[in-house]
Amino acid sequence: TAIGPVSSAQAANGQVVISQVYGGGGNNGAVYSNDFIELYNPTSEPVDLAGWKVYYTSATRTNFDGASSTTLEGEIPAKGYYLIQQAAGANQFKDLPEPDAEGSLAMGGTNGVVGLADASNKIIDIVGYGTAVLNETRSTAPISNATAAIRKANPTLEENNRGLDTDNNFEDFEVETPDPRNSKYNLPVEEETQVAEVTANYTSGEWPVNTQITLTTATKDATIFVSVNGEEFKTYTEAITLTGKTTV
């Protein structure tokens, strides 16, 4: 199957791009057990990746025709990332953060080419690394078992982004320690609130009419809701006065 024209991979800060490639997974001296490809979405809207593909081919190839690929699904968040786990090497090192997709591409640890195709199978981004013949203007520096090619920040986007895209792999990427980001990266973390039990100043039993029942909790700034005699729960604001048989 012929892949959409490589010439369509143009500099564009309004589209999803390949933001990191790592091919040393599981090799001697590796950081992670698996190779991986990371995508970044510089736009303000999530992008549906259903039917999109990432391709890998060797550094000597001049196109992606017949190249191995991984088909994607789900979406990439606005200003967010998408992590694609690939083949594992022979040695066990760190696991990747939870991947958004998994494939079996065995990527070159030093030199190679990764391409991103949209749902129409048109190549929209290319990263050639090391001695790759196929690239955008010029390939990145070679990577290693301990390093990855990571896209630099675009100064017009949010802090710590990976969105620089001048259509020049050598200028747009730097070779650094692998730092994979998935779709959960930078999302607000929901803090789990530790809630203490609600206690009453009297235990269950028989108490005189007009006894005042007060409720408290050790949870800071918590709101207590109470139901009296099976009625609808309401916010507790004052002591409950016993007027007869009462269930709280």
Side-chain angles (χ1 to χ4, degrees):
T1 301
I3 312 303
V6 168
S7 60
S8 66
Q10 301 293 327
N13 289 320
Q15 68 177 29
V16 176
V17 294
I18 300 164
S19 53
Q20 187 172 183
V21 294
Y22 176 64
N27 297 343
N28 290 333
V31 180
Y32 290 94
S33 297
N34 291 75
D35 299 342
F36 68 84
I37 300 165
E38 175 195 281
L39 308 181
Y40 170 68
N41 175 14
T43 77
S44 299
E45 298 292 335
V47 175
D48 183 4
L49 298 181
W52 288 42
K53 294 180 180 180
V54 287
Y55 286 90
Y56 173 77
T57 195
S58 66
T60 58
R61 290 286 305 277
T62 59
N63 58 56
F64 291 106
D65 290 352
S68 299
S69 66
T70 299
T71 301
L72 311 182
E73 59 183 12
E75 66 179 25
I76 181 171
K79 309 291 185 183
Y81 299 85
Y82 187 96
L83 182 62
I84 309 156
Q85 177 175 288
Q86 299 295 354
N91 303 304
Q92 183 67 37
F93 294 98
K94 289 198 299 185
D95 291 333
L96 293 171
E98 181 181 358
D100 299 295
E102 297 184 32
S104 57
L105 303 180
M107 299 164 56
T110 306
N111 314 295
V113 189
V114 175
L116 174 65
D118 64 16
S120 69
N121 213 27
K122 180 177 72 175
I123 297 293
I124 63 171
D125 196 30
I126 295 171
V127 177
Y129 58 97
T131 60
V133 176
L134 180 59
N135 54 50
E136 292 187 359
T137 306
R138 179 183 174 188
S139 294
T140 76
I143 60 177
S144 70
N145 296 340
T147 58
I150 303 177
R151 191 177 288 273
K152 299 175 184 177
N154 183 332
T156 68
L157 299 174
E158 76 282 359
E159 186 178 357
N160 198 29
N161 71 82
R162 292 177 176 168
L164 183 65
D165 190 1
T166 66
D167 205 20
N168 185 323
N169 293 157
F170 187 80
E171 296 296 333
D172 291 344
F173 284 79
E174 54 193 352
V175 174
E176 301 284 351
T177 301
D179 182 24
R181 298 174 178 177
N182 61 14
S183 60
K184 296 179 181 178
Y185 178 82
N186 237 11
L187 294 180
V189 177
E190 295 184 6
E191 295 185 3
E192 182 177 345
T193 302
Q194 299 297 322
V195 180
E197 292 183 355
V198 174
T199 57
N201 59 332
Y202 288 91
T203 59
S204 59
E206 295 185 5
W207 302 101
V209 172
N210 294 327
T211 296
Q212 300 286 301
I213 305 297
T214 58
L215 305 176
T216 58
T217 179
T219 303
K220 185 179 179 181
D221 299 326
T223 299
I224 298 174
F225 295 90
V226 61
S227 171
V228 178
N229 293 329
E231 295 180 355
E232 181 181 353
F233 276 89
K234 296 180 181 179
T235 303
Y236 171 77
T237 57
E238 58 183 5
I240 302 165
T241 302
L242 300 184
T243 58
K245 187 176 181 179
T246 304
T247 301
V248 178

